[in-house]
């Protein structure tokens, strides 16, 4: 699977059935206490692996998460359990698999990441968890957008995520509306701004517990706002939104900090602010050695290409020299 090819045509969508659960699963009841302890453990592992990826990049930790899913989580899904408990086990496994897909994409294995995302989407459907299903659809759309795919199919996937989330928490609805705004910005300005406004209102009204699948950080919303405005040609607005996102990032979010700084520097350079862009790229280079991330690597390569025409400028030459040491 690691040598496969990412495919837009593979983004086929399961539906949430009336009766869930994988075929052939044993249905005899088991003691609920050990099963619920496993659910709690999976939730804790989602937080641990998510925090590790934020600090070190998906490439540093995705193999560990894959091993945890392979054993013991896969075995737990075949443990006889009451249907409601089995649904919770499935949802926990889906969250872990979705996180694994995002980490794998960050490591540059896009076909394998797509496989994980689709698997997580099907598990969310089997678990009859509409909020998680919407999050999974949004994650697939985000992956496609990150790869530069801005087709109508990706827009429809983003619309489907937002529509599926309409009865979910305000955080989940804001999360799906924010990416709908970014996807729509490549097709229809009014739709993009309407979705962005909805995301901002929903976020203001949200009251959710902190966690990778329960909260939508304000910094992430500002980042999505910057991407939307940038796609609409509003470079000044994009710079302001990236700056707001960066201001809200914590030191522990090194991965997000690096990507935000790189995007901000690109936007600043496009406006002709070379020195300010160089200052942000210098900070970006400080983070790079700590991160195992293909996305960060792509931002590094973009920086090199954008600064090459300015290589005779001493400050730009210094940044390029530092970048040459990062291979």
């Amino acid at each position: 699977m690691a040598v496969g090819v990412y495919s837009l045509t593979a983004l086929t969508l399961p539906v949430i059935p009336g009766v869930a659960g994988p075929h052939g699963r044993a249905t005899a009841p088991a003691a609920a206490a050990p099963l619920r302890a496993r659910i709690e453990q999976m939730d804790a592992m989602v937080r641990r692996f998510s925090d590790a990826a934020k600090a070190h990049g998906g490439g540093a930790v995705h193999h560990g998460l894959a091993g945890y899913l392979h054993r013991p989580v896969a075995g737990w899904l075949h443990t006889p359990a009451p249907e409601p408990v089995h649904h919770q086990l499935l949802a926990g496994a889906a969250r872990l698999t979705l996180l694994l897909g995002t980490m794998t994409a960050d490591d540059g294995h896009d076909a394998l990441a797509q496989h994980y995302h689709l698997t997580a989407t099907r598990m969310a459907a089997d678990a009859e968890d509409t909020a998680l299903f919407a999050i999974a659809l949004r994650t697939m759309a985000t992956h496609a957008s990150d790869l530069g795919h801005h087709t109508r199919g990706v827009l429809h996937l983003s619309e489907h995520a937002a529509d599926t989330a309409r009865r979910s928490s305000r955080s989940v609805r804001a999360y799906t509306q924010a990416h709908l705004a970014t996807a729509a910005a490549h097709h229809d300005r009014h739709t993009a701004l309407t979705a962005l406004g909805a995301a901002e209102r929903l976020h203001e009204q949200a009251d959710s517990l902190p966690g990778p699948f329960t909260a939508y950080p304000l910094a992430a919303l500002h980042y999505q706002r910057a991407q939307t405005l940038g796609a609409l040609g509003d470079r000044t607005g994009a710079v302001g939104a990236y700056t707001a996102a960066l201001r809200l990032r914590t030191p522990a979010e090194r991965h997000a900090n690096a990507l935000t700084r790189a995007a901000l520097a690109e936007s600043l350079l496009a406006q002709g602010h070379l020195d300010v862009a160089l200052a942000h790229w210098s900070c970006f280079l400080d983070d790079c050695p700590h991160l195992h991330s293909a996305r960060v690597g792509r931002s590094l390569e973009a920086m090199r290409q954008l600064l090459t025409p300015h290589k005779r400028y001493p400050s730009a030459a210094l940044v390029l020299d530092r970048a040459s040491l990062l291979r």
Side-chain angles (χ1 to χ4, degrees):
M1 290 186 292
V3 296
V5 178
Y6 180 90
S7 170
L8 286 174
T9 60
L11 297 180
T12 54
L13 305 178
V15 295
I16 297 182
V19 178
H23 298 297
R25 184 178 64 84
T27 57
L35 296 177
R36 295 192 184 281
R38 292 168 182 173
I39 293 167
E40 291 176 7
Q41 183 187 122
M42 284 192 286
D43 289 342
M45 294 300 279
V46 164
R47 292 190 294 272
R48 297 283 179 86
F49 278 108
S50 177
D51 288 344
K54 289 176 184 177
H56 306 293
V61 290
H62 74 90
H63 291 297
L65 178 51
Y68 179 67
L69 276 163
H70 177 66
R71 186 186 301 164
V73 172
W76 294 345
L77 296 181
H78 293 87
T79 301
E83 200 69 18
V85 176
H86 181 68
H87 280 187
Q88 292 179 59
L89 286 164
L90 267 177
R95 284 188 284 271
L96 287 163
T97 305
L98 198 58
L99 181 60
L100 176 59
T102 300
M103 290 177 175
T104 305
D106 189 49
D107 198 30
H109 300 293
D110 294 305
L112 183 57
Q114 183 179 41
H115 165 77
Y116 288 140
H117 287 156
L118 287 167
T119 300
T121 305
R122 293 181 181 115
M123 284 197 289
D126 284 346
E128 300 182 21
D129 190 325
T130 54
L132 183 56
F133 188 74
I135 291 170
L137 296 177
R138 199 273 205 187
T139 302
M140 289 196 294
T142 300
H143 184 203
S145 296
D146 287 343
L147 294 175
H149 300 299
H150 304 298
T151 65
R152 285 281 177 183
V154 175
L155 174 60
H156 293 330
L157 186 60
S158 305
E159 290 171 336
H160 188 31
D163 186 58
T164 302
R166 64 189 183 278
R167 293 187 181 87
S168 301
S169 70
R170 291 186 178 93
S171 289
V172 173
R173 288 158 61 195
Y175 180 68
T176 56
Q177 287 288 336
H179 189 266
L180 175 57
T182 300
H186 296 274
H187 301 275
D188 182 80
R189 182 182 184 87
H190 175 73
T191 301
L193 293 177
T194 299
L196 183 59
E200 291 170 343
R201 288 191 298 274
L202 287 163
H203 191 278
E204 288 176 358
Q205 300 165 4
D207 183 16
S208 56
L209 296 173
F213 287 89
T214 52
Y216 183 37
L218 182 57
L221 176 58
H222 279 305
Y223 186 89
Q224 208 77 45
R225 182 170 180 267
Q227 289 189 313
T228 302
L229 295 177
L232 291 173
D234 183 358
R235 291 175 177 171
T236 300
V239 166
Y242 280 130
T243 302
L246 192 60
R247 190 182 305 119
L248 292 167
R249 299 290 188 194
T250 67
E253 298 174 281
R254 182 180 282 132
H255 182 261
N257 269 312
L259 292 174
T260 304
R261 281 197 184 278
L264 174 57
E266 291 177 21
S267 297
L268 286 164
L269 183 63
Q271 289 187 297
H273 303 304
L274 176 58
D275 286 314
V276 184
L278 288 169
H280 284 291
W281 266 317
S282 182
C283 293
F284 165 75
L285 291 176
D286 291 339
D287 283 331
C288 281
H290 302 278
L291 295 166
H292 186 161
S293 164
R295 287 184 67 196
V296 170
R298 289 195 292 269
S299 293
L300 179 62
E301 183 56 33
M303 184 201 76
R304 290 189 180 110
Q305 293 178 4
L306 289 168
L307 287 182
T308 296
H310 305 278
K311 62 184 178 182
R312 295 186 183 278
Y313 185 59
S315 298
L318 180 60
V319 170
L320 286 169
D321 286 343
R322 287 187 60 196
S324 69
L325 301 176
L326 299 172
R327 298 292 183 186

